[in-house]
Amino acid sequence: MLTIADHQFSSRLFTGTGKFSTSALMLEAIACSGSELVTMAMKRLDLKTGSDDILQPLLSSGVKLLPNTSGARNAKEAVFAAELAREILDTPWIKLEIHPDPKYLMPDPIETLEAAKILCDKGFVVLPYVHADPVLCRRLEEVGCAAVMPLGSPIGSNQGLATETFLKMIIEQAKVPVIVDAGIGAPSQATRVMELGADAVLVNTAIASSRDPAAMGRCFAAAVQTGRDAYLAGLGHVRSVASETSPLTGFLNE
Amino acid sequence: MSFLSYLQGISREKLKLALYSATSDDVERALNSAEGDLNSLLALLSPAAEPYIEQMAQQSVRLTRQRFGANIGMFLPLYLSNLCANECDYCGFSMSNKLKRKTLNGPELEAEMAVIKKLGYDSILLVSGEHETKVGIDYFKQVLPQVKNEFSYLAMEVQPLAEHEYAELVGLGLDAVMIYQETYNPQTYAEHHTRGKKKDFAYRLDTPERVAKAGVDKVGLGVLLGLDDWRLDALLLGHHLAYLESKYWRTRYSVSLPRLRPCTGGITPKVEMTDKGLVQLICAFRLFNQQLDISLSTRESPELRDNLFSLGITNLSAGSSTQPGGYVNPDTQLDQFEISDDRTPVQVSHAMKQRGLNPVWKDWESAWIGG
Ligand code: SF4
């Protein structure tokens, strides 16, 4: 079981709601993936009625909703989006996303830390989306974030684990769950992240943009489980050749 | 959770069993993993790792050169006082020892520093016995600015202080604090520390945490090899280090691995620590923690020190005197312990250069830091 804040999850695969061609397809894919936490953009909500064709079916499907602040370009906008989410959806959970850069959608570390501080102080359960920056992750943990969500590669790119070296450092150091978010394009990549010891992965584009999202949702579920099992079993080591002579410690025998 | 409660949560028996039943498979796994952790430290400190010492040394050298280059930081201890209100049965400064007691005053300190500076040093370790009233925070507050005037890097090895006192000293130029637990076995600790404040195992154990909280740049940990089972003590030292590193990740850490030496009125080591064991220990710590500073004291013989230099050591003293006023007047018989390598800094740096190593005399400029 994975615990984040006070909530337990039996699946370590989290999903998103963007990019599906129909909401029926989205619901089917989410159901097949077994995901219990689904993120959705506050900017997509119809604020006047508080409901739209994504929200209602999601709410009735029983998954936990993780509103995100995607679209926010600075801390102020993100805090505003989080407060709206808490009010409308009645949840203190928020995926903090601030990307002012429209080309690569790179998260802004300075605004994110600033917003995280404010939101944690206000009692939110904050899950920040960040670059795979080990120092930033530690600082976010210090201000009280419930988890960190470093990226594998640029959002929506399906490029996989461009940041593996840094993800390893983050996983080794973190005292809160590490959820690898963004860039995971294939089930094999999800397995690899889980083998490294990540606590969960968030996959959206790879499922939504596949030819058969429901089938792909199932593949990711199996891949994440396999990676987790392999991590728990402990990967075997690659043997190196033993050295015969003792040039450095020969003095011990003199 | 404090480290004391962490330590109390560990079963010494279980840990010892794991340490002594580690297998060559465990050692090979540790040698082949890219990052060190407490599991690999356990394997590398175990008796099972003895046949792998050469391989450990090869890796230790590679990792040390990769991280630190060929540089070895040079520092010198400056004994401020041999007054002590404690009784530790392995130490010449113990209260009941008949020994002339001395605390340096301003001009004496100035004279000592002048000699040390001529030797080329820019990094200093201020040492004193543990005497709170006569050599306490007021004395340190007086001394630090005077020393910082002369040396870029200032470390201290004195009695444990309160967090706010450390913070105050940081403001006066303190860069590092060495605080050795001596042993992580409370029972053995009690046997050797029979009188005075040092008897308080728990207060000492939580000192590194207070140092880190106070914002000191570097914290030094250590055990006195020979008081108890060195493998277990070293492993618990590793736990202490890991605990501190994960909580205070802005701080740098160093370890010192002194072997118990003969001293006035002192005891003989209960547990023998061989040269081979010392090599295993140094390499195990390097493989465990690649950024760790590892110091080597003048307690070891010149031949052994020359061989150890390159194996993972990053800091070294040479030409040390372990008595207050000893640099100006070498033969006053006020020593804390006997030193084995009495070569001059020039001779030692020559030996280092012959091995392709580069002695570094200045490596710090506090003016850059914190303004
Ligand atoms: S080890 Fe330290 S506290 Fe103990 S007697 Fe020596 S100087 Fe004093």
Side-chain angles (χ1 to χ4, degrees):
Chain A
M1 283 292 226
L2 166 63
T3 306
I4 301 176
D6 55 357
H7 201 90
Q8 293 203 319
F9 298 92
S10 50
S11 161
R12 291 170 183 269
L13 172 60
F14 299 158
T15 50
T17 50
K19 302 187 183 178
F20 289 95
S21 53
T22 67
S23 59
L25 205 53
M26 172 193 81
L27 285 172
E28 196 197 350
I30 291 172
C32 290
S33 74
S35 171
E36 295 162 1
L37 185 75
V38 175
T39 183
M40 69 172 302
M42 282 307 291
K43 66 181 178 188
R44 292 190 58 185
L45 271 191
D46 180 347
L47 297 178
K48 291 197 186 73
T49 61
S51 69
D52 62 14
D53 61 339
I54 296 179
L55 185 58
Q56 281 316 327
L58 264 182
L59 285 173
S60 38
S61 79
V63 295
K64 189 169 174 58
L65 267 193
L66 177 63
N68 70 51
T69 64
S70 165
R73 289 156 306 171
N74 56 41
K76 203 168 143 220
E77 291 175 3
V79 170
F80 178 72
E83 278 173 337
L84 264 185
R86 178 151 74 174
E87 202 176 308
I88 296 171
L89 303 173
D90 195 29
T91 173
W93 285 54
I94 191 80
K95 180 183 172 201
L96 178 60
E97 280 190 58
I98 304 177
H99 24 72
D101 136 46
K103 186 174 180 193
Y104 293 111
L105 301 173
M106 283 290 125
D108 182 326
I110 296 163
E111 297 290 326
T112 303
L113 181 60
E114 183 59 35
K117 237 184 273 170
I118 297 170
L119 292 171
C120 290
D121 285 348
K122 287 177 185 258
F124 282 90
V125 174
V126 182
L127 289 75
Y129 164 62
V130 286
H131 204 290
D133 179 334
V135 172
L136 179 62
C137 286
R138 291 185 114 153
R139 295 197 57 162
L140 287 162
E141 197 177 298
E142 277 176 348
V143 302
C145 291
V148 287
M149 307 184 72
L151 56 77
S153 56
I155 197 164
S157 71
N158 285 352
Q159 285 177 30
L161 301 185
T163 57
E164 181 167 323
T165 305
F166 306 102
L167 289 174
K168 280 186 196 160
M169 293 178 197
I170 293 168
I171 291 166
E172 180 211 318
Q173 295 172 347
K175 294 196 279 292
V176 293
V178 177
I179 304 157
V180 175
D181 182 9
I184 293 177
S188 55
Q189 293 160 359
T191 304
R192 177 66 185 149
V193 186
M194 297 307 292
E195 282 172 356
L196 295 178
D199 297 279
V201 293
L202 195 151
V203 182
N204 183 16
T205 305
I207 296 176
S209 66
S210 73
R211 208 171 338 116
D212 182 348
M216 191 54 89
R218 265 191 299 274
C219 295
F220 268 101
V224 167
Q225 189 61 50
T226 300
R228 178 68 186 172
D229 290 346
Y231 171 71
L232 292 177
L235 297 181
H237 59 267
V238 183
R239 275 179 193 268
S240 66
V241 187
S243 77
E244 298 289 326
T245 52
S246 301
L248 293 174
T249 54
F251 69 91
L252 290 170
N253 308 320
E254 279 163 15
Chain B
M1 185 177 45
S2 72
F3 185 68
L4 178 65
S5 39
Y6 174 97
L7 192 64
Q8 284 163 343
I10 293 179
S11 156
R12 287 184 66 85
E13 285 66 41
K14 273 196 198 149
L15 200 60
K16 194 166 178 173
L17 189 68
L19 188 56
Y20 283 89
S21 54
T23 63
S24 54
D25 245 10
D26 297 327
V27 179
E28 288 190 20
R29 195 173 301 117
L31 281 170
N32 284 302
S33 64
E35 306 299 332
D37 59 16
L38 286 168
N39 286 329
S40 60
L41 182 65
L42 181 142
L44 297 173
L45 286 171
S46 74
E50 276 177 16
Y52 295 89
I53 285 179
E54 175 62 23
Q55 268 170 283
M56 288 170 67
Q58 301 273 2
Q59 284 200 26
S60 177
V61 171
R62 184 175 54 76
L63 293 170
T64 308
R65 297 289 86 86
Q66 189 178 318
R67 177 85 187 193
F68 297 90
N71 301 316
I72 305 266
M74 304 296 291
F75 73 96
L76 208 61
L78 194 173
Y79 278 67
L80 293 170
S81 170
N82 60 2
L83 250 64
C84 190
N86 289 319
E87 201 72 56
C88 310
D89 61 5
Y90 50 79
C91 175
F93 286 177
S94 284
M95 198 160 102
S96 63
N97 268 355
K98 295 278 169 283
L99 184 78
K100 233 180 99 197
R101 303 288 171 166
K102 173 160 193 64
T103 303
L104 299 184
N105 61 27
E108 286 167 336
L109 178 58
E110 213 56 62
E112 287 286 282
M113 292 196 294
V115 178
I116 295 171
K117 289 211 73 164
K118 273 210 194 98
L119 296 174
Y121 285 97
D122 189 43
S123 190
I124 197 90
L125 171 65
L126 298 180
V127 186
S128 74
E130 303 198 2
H131 200 294
E132 224 135 317
T133 48
K134 292 194 179 141
V135 193
I137 182 72
D138 293 334
Y139 178 76
F140 299 138
K141 272 159 55 181
Q142 207 182 311
V143 160
L144 253 63
Q146 195 186 345
V147 176
K148 197 66 183 190
N149 243 343
E150 305 290 336
F151 294 95
S152 307
Y153 197 79
L154 194 166
M156 277 182 109
E157 190 182 330
V158 302
Q159 68 271 23
L161 302 174
E163 185 187 328
H164 70 91
E165 292 173 330
Y166 285 124
E168 225 177 315
L169 296 180
V170 169
L172 298 175
L174 176 64
D175 297 305
V177 171
M178 312 292 141
I179 182 80
Y180 305 143
Q181 189 60 30
E182 323 294 11
T183 172
Y184 285 86
N185 182 345
Q187 228 173 325
T188 309
Y189 189 91
E191 284 162 23
H192 292 282
H193 303 97
T194 47
R195 250 173 90 187
K197 278 208 160 178
K198 194 170 175 181
K199 272 176 73 171
D200 192 341
F201 179 83
Y203 186 67
R204 194 170 190 88
L205 193 69
D206 284 335
T207 306
E209 185 150 15
R210 293 197 300 280
V211 176
K213 275 190 193 155
V216 175
D217 175 62
K218 196 198 285 185
V219 183
L221 308 179
V223 286
L224 192 47
L225 303 165
L227 287 186
D228 204 293
D229 181 331
W230 66 265
R231 295 182 201 273
L232 190 54
D233 258 346
L235 181 57
L236 289 166
L237 174 69
H239 277 262
H240 202 171
L241 196 61
Y243 167 91
L244 289 166
E245 262 200 331
S246 82
K247 242 176 141 172
Y248 306 98
W249 53 273
R250 291 174 180 83
T251 311
R252 295 196 290 155
Y253 297 91
S254 72
V255 296
S256 183
L257 307 166
R259 284 197 278 188
L260 197 51
R261 300 284 309 158
C263 72
T264 319
I267 52 155
T268 41
K270 174 167 88 185
V271 186
E272 211 216 338
M273 172 81 189
T274 60
D275 288 357
K276 195 172 172 191
L278 189 61
V279 170
Q280 185 181 355
L281 193 52
I282 291 170
C283 298
F285 268 97
R286 173 56 66 229
L287 269 56
F288 166 56
N289 186 323
Q290 299 170 13
Q291 64 278 9
L292 188 66
D293 266 323
I294 303 180
S295 314
L296 183 64
S297 83
T298 46
R299 288 168 184 246
E300 306 302 342
S301 72
E303 302 73 40
L304 182 61
R305 276 182 22 120
D306 283 359
N307 283 310
L308 294 179
F309 284 162
S310 48
L311 292 188
I313 299 298
T314 59
N315 289 85
L316 200 71
S317 54
S320 311
S321 163
T322 68
Q323 46 188 318
Y327 292 107
V328 175
N329 304 302
D331 293 314
T332 41
Q333 297 301 309
L334 308 174
D335 322 35
Q336 188 181 27
F337 57 86
E338 285 172 23
I339 60 172
S340 302
D341 184 355
D342 49 15
R343 290 176 295 174
T344 65
V346 174
Q347 288 169 324
V348 173
S349 66
H350 187 66
M352 285 169 61
K353 283 179 188 154
Q354 276 186 329
R355 291 177 178 259
L357 294 168
N358 173 37
V360 173
W361 304 90
K362 177 176 193 296
D363 190 27
W364 189 252
E365 184 49 74
S366 342
W368 297 119
I369 299 174

